[in-house]
Amino acid sequence: MTGSWSFTWQDPVAIALVALALLVAWWLRRRLGRGSKCEECPAKKDHV
Amino acid sequence: MHLTGSLQRPVNFPGSSVEMSQGRVRIEGTELTVVDLPGLGSLQPMSPDEKVTIAHLRGDDGARPDVICAVIDASKLSVELQFVSELTSLGLPMIVALNKNDVARAEGRCVDPAALEAEIGIRVIETDGRSPRGTQLLGQCLVRDEPACPKGLPRDLIEEIADRLQAQSEPRRTLTTRLDDVLLQRWLGLPILALVIFGMFQLVYSGADPFVGWVEMAQGWLSGLVEGGVGPGALRSFLIGGLINGVFSVFVFLPQIMLLIALIAILEGTGYMARAAFLLDRTLSRFGLSGRSFVPLASSFACAIPGILASRIIDNERDRIATIVVAPLMSCSARLPVYVVLIGAFFPLAWSGLILFGLYALGIVVAAAVAWCLRRTALKGGQSTLLMELPTYQRPSLRVVFSQVWIATREFLILAGTIILATSVVIWLLSYYPRPEAIHAKFEEQRRSLAATALDPTQRSRQLDKIAAAEAAAFSEQSWLAHIGKAIQPAFAPAGFDWRTTIGVIAAFPAREAIIPTYGILYSLGDIDAGAYDLASLDKPVEEVAGLRSVLREARRMDGRPALNPLIALALMVFFALCSQCVSTLGAIRRETRSWRWPAFTFGYMTALAWVGAVAVYQIGSLMGYGLGS
């Protein structure tokens, strides 16, 4: 990297959207996937 | 499923239900919790899934049922009544659901439910697993009649009871018998099976194509919308290259995955999958596996995770672990888009099917070799014998097929989709930044020089596009992602991979499909649509196909040599065919083997095999004159 960066108003917006997308992906996985309450359901416990 | 409306996975294959699942239903104001348990043949468990059932029936998991509903097959009455007799020893209230009486009727041996009830002293309700018939009465019986504990069913009287109850007629040659005469015939059985499986894969490739086209159209439309509304810059690049690319790279695979799951479900529903296990038992035994390994391995062609779960039907623990460890070598649906893109970009139409088949066969051959080695070393020990009942052939229930497709689609969207989305946005961020002002100033100077020249609009536009592409390439070469890729690239140089191909391989480790949007970002050199590939376009010349395939073909390294050529593409596909690149699969292995040793071993041996395979392909091909620069 040399010199200063080329920044416009779009850059902070894009970076904020990256963070938001990661949060949404994490939340969706936690809420709907294997990290959700389904793990606590007795029917889904590891078998004997 | 018919009682509670919940989407479980009923299939026409013994041992298909491998874990408990439950649903709730309210009948006449009473809420019932219905627990579906893996099937049993006796109270002596032979496999992990049977242990689940017995543990629950005995209350070992802290939740003993209030009532047992024993679902029995009317066409095998004497065998089923033997098990009902064992169940009465548990001392729990019981109801019998008499299933498949239509099959028994077709064989001339239908059972009168009322007569059966009178003989065994247990309430009997006739049901049909393919429809809700009988479930309303079953539910009412559970709520109103308060089923009683049966007094016991003497085992020595069961044959007599079965003979008395089933209509006395000459056994008929049913459709099942006639079909088995051909499909299980000694010399025809395996070739027919090979044809069926080949036909299934062909259908996946051709049948999903129109739907893939619609998804890509939607992606193109949305990208166009963003281009028109947002000027050039980070936001536009993120929305198109990171977000839309990421989200649609999930949806574009859905048609293939859904079709593959549907076809497997149809095959299971007809009862043919059980025959396949029988046909392959001898072949699989030579490699230290069981005939029951066929179902987990066949399921792994769609996704390794349900395949690994299905290994619970294998009673021999060594066979089961060997099956689990080699299941990820079956080329799953996630690898399919990678194959389609690279084969379409670098190989002639006439070779497409052969290369595709070769990649799938590679996984199968390597799996057989690994299983053979394991069963003679780390998993040395006795082998199981295949003991299973062949279900009758029947028309698969569309409702069941749709439910299986929905379950698989939902799992894919949640598990793979979230990883792909996260990977796409992170890859975009690392590939877009930093943005040195010096690079921007250099290309702005070129644009000003161009503006001062006398060119017609078409030529000017073409030159501006070239400047934009060169600027994007210059930013890309000094990005954070490039630094990471160039640091790792020496490890993959023997396979002919440049830093972008290396990054694609690394990005694919959380989920294989992530390589497509990654390449779309890294090779897009601007705003080229990265998703414009489809299965049918395997038969079109590359030049006609706008999008990732033509971009990959034209991509260059900094020294001017091609980034990819047919040999490197082949090495890359071999790498993907053999590598363990799915975190979710490793998680499933950990869960099923209850240790970190086996997922670590699986990751290690598969990654090593993949690297060796890719390097071998590239080095041997280079010696033959197909490497870079030749």
Side-chain angles (χ1 to χ4, degrees):
Chain A
M1 290 194 306
T2 56
S4 59
W5 286 20
S6 167
F7 262 143
T8 68
W9 66 268
Q10 292 195 18
D11 291 89
V13 175
I15 292 168
L17 286 175
V18 166
L20 184 63
L22 289 173
L23 270 172
V24 167
W26 173 81
W27 179 83
L28 277 173
R29 196 175 173 87
R30 189 158 174 76
R31 180 77 176 84
L32 302 172
R34 294 185 191 271
S36 74
K37 290 179 197 170
C38 290
E39 285 297 309
E40 302 162 11
C41 172
K44 294 288 185 185
K45 276 186 190 164
D46 282 346
H47 56 272
V48 174
Chain B
M1 182 173 82
H2 299 301
L3 198 57
T4 66
S6 67
L7 296 176
Q8 298 312 323
R9 195 167 177 269
V11 292
N12 190 20
F13 186 95
S16 55
S17 188
V18 294
E19 58 182 0
M20 279 197 325
S21 48
Q22 68 181 37
R24 289 191 171 86
V25 61
R26 185 172 286 275
I27 300 173
E28 297 179 358
T30 303
E31 187 171 277
L32 300 179
T33 300
V34 180
V35 181
D36 177 30
L37 297 168
L40 270 184
S42 81
L43 290 181
Q44 305 303 317
M46 289 179 70
S47 58
D49 58 322
E50 292 180 348
K51 288 177 187 168
V52 172
T53 302
I54 290 169
H56 186 73
L57 290 175
R58 290 194 170 132
D60 295 345
D61 55 359
R64 203 170 191 217
D66 298 309
V67 177
I68 296 176
C69 177
V71 182
I72 69 172
D73 184 341
S75 63
K76 300 175 178 64
L77 188 64
S78 62
V79 171
E80 302 284 86
L81 286 181
Q82 296 282 353
F83 180 54
V84 169
S85 169
E86 283 193 55
L87 284 177
T88 58
S89 65
L90 293 174
L92 287 170
M94 196 186 309
I95 282 183
V96 167
L98 183 67
N99 213 33
K100 293 191 173 179
N101 211 10
D102 56 326
V103 174
R105 191 171 293 115
E107 293 173 355
R109 298 185 299 121
C110 74
V111 180
D112 178 7
L116 178 60
E117 184 172 326
E119 289 279 358
I120 64 176
I122 304 172
R123 187 82 165 88
V124 176
I125 310 284
E126 184 172 346
T127 58
D128 181 350
R130 294 170 301 171
S131 75
R133 187 167 70 89
T135 49
Q136 188 180 9
L137 185 57
L138 184 63
Q140 288 170 352
C141 178
L142 287 168
V143 170
R144 287 183 199 166
D145 298 348
E146 292 188 15
C149 288
K151 291 188 179 63
L153 184 60
R155 293 172 72 98
D156 52 353
L157 295 180
I158 286 172
E159 284 295 335
E160 194 184 311
I161 293 172
D163 287 343
R164 228 185 353 258
L165 288 173
Q166 292 195 289
Q168 297 297 319
S169 63
E170 284 296 314
R172 297 178 200 162
R173 274 181 61 78
T174 60
L175 177 65
T176 295
T177 315
R178 290 198 299 270
L179 281 173
D180 279 342
D181 284 345
V182 176
L183 297 175
L184 295 180
Q185 202 273 341
R186 189 178 177 188
W187 303 111
L188 290 177
L190 280 174
I192 291 175
L193 174 62
L195 269 173
V196 167
I197 300 214
F198 180 74
M200 188 175 79
F201 284 133
Q202 277 298 114
L203 203 55
V204 167
Y205 307 150
S206 55
D209 174 58
F211 304 99
V212 171
W214 295 343
V215 173
E216 290 173 346
M217 269 174 52
Q219 181 178 1
W221 172 81
L222 203 56
S223 297
L225 211 63
V226 170
E227 270 184 42
V230 181
L235 181 60
R236 182 161 97 172
S237 178
F238 167 73
L239 288 174
I240 295 175
L243 195 61
I244 294 175
N245 216 19
V247 169
F248 277 86
S249 65
V250 175
F251 287 116
V252 82
F253 306 150
L254 267 185
Q256 297 128 327
I257 289 170
M258 290 170 74
L259 192 53
L260 187 61
I261 301 293
L263 289 172
I264 290 175
I266 289 170
L267 276 183
E268 284 179 342
T270 59
Y272 185 66
M273 276 297 202
R275 271 83 182 164
F278 170 75
L279 286 168
L280 290 170
D281 178 52
R282 185 175 292 183
T283 305
L284 289 169
S285 298
R286 288 199 184 107
F287 298 101
L289 297 172
S290 153
R292 281 177 176 256
S293 301
F294 173 72
V295 169
L297 294 177
S299 300
S300 298
F301 280 113
C303 176
I305 296 168
I308 288 165
L309 258 65
S311 68
R312 293 180 190 182
I313 63 172
I314 302 169
D315 47 345
N316 182 289
E317 188 66 7
R318 288 183 176 82
D319 282 350
R320 195 174 77 88
I321 292 179
T323 304
I324 287 172
V325 166
V326 303
L329 282 168
M330 303 298 113
S331 275
C332 65
S333 51
R335 290 173 169 103
L336 183 58
V338 181
Y339 298 160
V340 168
V341 168
L342 292 173
I343 291 173
F346 293 102
F347 296 95
L349 161 69
W351 295 7
S352 299
L354 187 63
I355 294 172
L356 205 50
F357 179 76
L359 289 165
Y360 278 88
L362 176 66
I364 294 169
V365 167
V366 172
V370 170
W372 186 88
C373 290
L374 278 174
R375 292 296 267 119
R376 280 158 179 76
T377 53
L379 295 173
K380 199 171 181 179
Q383 200 151 359
S384 60
T385 51
L386 179 64
L387 185 66
M388 60 183 283
E389 61 173 285
L390 294 179
T392 51
Y393 287 110
Q394 60 188 39
R395 186 173 42 87
S397 161
L398 282 180
R399 190 176 176 208
V400 168
V401 171
F402 285 144
S403 75
Q404 289 191 34
V405 172
W406 168 244
I407 291 169
T409 302
R410 188 173 178 272
E411 292 270 321
F412 169 74
L413 284 175
I414 293 168
L415 297 179
T418 47
I419 293 177
I420 291 168
L421 176 64
T423 306
S424 294
V425 299
V426 169
I427 293 291
W428 173 85
L429 185 75
L430 294 175
S431 67
Y432 191 80
Y433 291 105
R435 308 293 285 183
E437 180 61 34
I439 294 178
H440 180 68
K442 173 183 157 190
F443 288 95
E444 272 304 299
E445 179 60 37
Q446 288 190 17
R447 288 189 185 91
R448 280 194 289 272
S449 301
L450 183 67
T453 59
L455 286 173
D456 65 54
T458 309
Q459 282 180 315
R460 189 183 303 281
S461 171
R462 209 172 286 153
Q463 290 299 327
L464 282 172
D465 285 345
K466 281 186 182 171
I467 291 172
E471 183 180 18
F475 275 126
S476 177
E477 279 292 330
Q478 56 80 56
S479 65
W480 290 324
L481 198 63
H483 287 298
I484 296 169
K486 287 170 186 172
I488 300 171
Q489 190 268 341
F492 291 93
F497 298 175
D498 71 343
W499 72 265
R500 285 176 290 185
T501 306
T502 302
I503 285 294
V505 165
I506 302 300
F509 270 91
R512 288 186 183 90
E513 305 92 325
I515 191 172
I516 301 299
T518 300
Y519 279 170
I521 295 166
L522 294 176
Y523 287 107
S524 66
L525 302 179
D527 293 329
I528 295 173
D529 175 13
Y533 69 91
D534 58 64
L535 298 164
S537 60
L538 276 174
D539 61 355
K540 289 182 195 160
V542 169
E543 291 72 26
E544 287 183 21
V545 180
L548 186 58
R549 280 189 281 177
S550 57
V551 170
L552 289 177
R553 194 179 164 89
E554 301 302 319
R556 291 288 180 267
R557 304 178 187 220
M558 286 306 280
D559 59 8
R561 292 183 303 162
L564 292 161
N565 69 359
L567 181 62
I568 298 172
L570 190 63
L572 185 56
M573 287 190 287
V574 166
F575 188 90
F576 265 79
L578 300 178
C579 193
S580 172
Q581 285 166 304
C582 181
V583 170
S584 302
T585 298
L586 296 175
I589 295 175
R590 192 212 69 80
R591 186 170 174 238
E592 293 303 307
T593 59
R594 291 187 219 96
S595 98
W596 281 106
R597 180 164 59 120
W598 289 111
F601 171 75
T602 302
F603 178 79
Y605 94 79
M606 285 184 71
T607 306
L609 272 180
W611 187 88
V612 167
V615 168
V617 164
Y618 183 73
Q619 294 299 325
I620 293 171
S622 294
L623 287 173
M624 293 165 68
Y626 295 106
L628 281 179
S630 51

